[in-house]
Amino acid sequence: MLIAIGDAIRRTRATRNISQEALADLAGIDRSYMGGIERGEHNVAVINLSKIAEALEVRPSTLLAAAGI
Amino acid sequence: MLIAIGDAIRRTRATRNISQEALADLAGIDRSYMGGIERGEHNVAVINLSKIAEALEVRPSTLLAAAGI
């Protein structure tokens, strides 16, 4: 599941043409932590999920749906 | 946001006619922690969100959408 969420974030980020570092900065999340989230290494909590979704201009529920959950 | 998620979990639980304690047990989450989640006191992570959603027989994305996020 965490990998699917990381993939969904990466795919959505790609559609926005922004780098992982830019997404981390936009979302106010540490760049290396952001990398771990995209690799599915972190059990991301809803506040961070919401910051990432906002930076990607999608809803958190949309991100989870894109991850198939 | 956390309060909205807690409310969405409580409303969904009510439609299933199960107690907070039963939901906690079904989801494999500590009962007092579950109470805190429903009160919006915990920044719930996606693995716990997924366990709760599965216990409620909905998708995690559906729970977040029900919370308006």
Side-chain angles (χ1 to χ4, degrees):
Chain A
M1 179 177 59
L2 299 180
I3 288 173
I5 292 171
D7 285 346
I9 291 170
R10 178 177 292 130
R11 286 196 312 273
T12 307
R13 175 169 63 74
T15 64
R16 298 287 184 270
N17 285 314
I18 57 174
S19 67
Q20 187 179 91
E21 292 72 18
L23 175 58
D25 295 347
L26 278 169
I29 289 173
D30 173 78
R31 290 184 175 191
S32 62
Y33 191 75
M34 187 72 230
I37 289 174
E38 285 202 6
R39 290 189 299 274
E41 294 167 0
H42 299 308
N43 180 19
V44 60
V46 289
I47 287 179
N48 272 346
L49 184 69
S50 177
K51 287 180 181 176
I52 293 166
E54 188 174 347
L56 292 172
E57 299 174 11
V58 296
R59 298 176 62 178
S61 51
T62 305
L63 266 187
L64 291 193
I69 68 171
Chain B
M1 180 178 59
L2 297 181
I3 289 174
I5 292 170
D7 285 347
I9 291 170
R10 179 177 292 130
R11 287 195 314 272
T12 307
R13 175 168 62 74
T15 65
R16 298 287 185 270
N17 285 314
I18 58 175
S19 68
Q20 187 179 90
E21 292 71 19
L23 174 58
D25 296 348
L26 278 169
I29 289 172
D30 173 78
R31 290 182 175 192
S32 62
Y33 191 74
M34 185 72 230
I37 289 173
E38 285 202 6
R39 289 188 300 273
E41 295 167 0
H42 297 309
N43 181 17
V44 60
V46 290
I47 287 179
N48 272 345
L49 185 69
S50 178
K51 287 179 181 178
I52 293 167
E54 188 174 347
L56 291 172
E57 298 174 15
V58 296
R59 298 175 63 177
S61 52
T62 305
L63 266 187
L64 291 192
I69 66 169

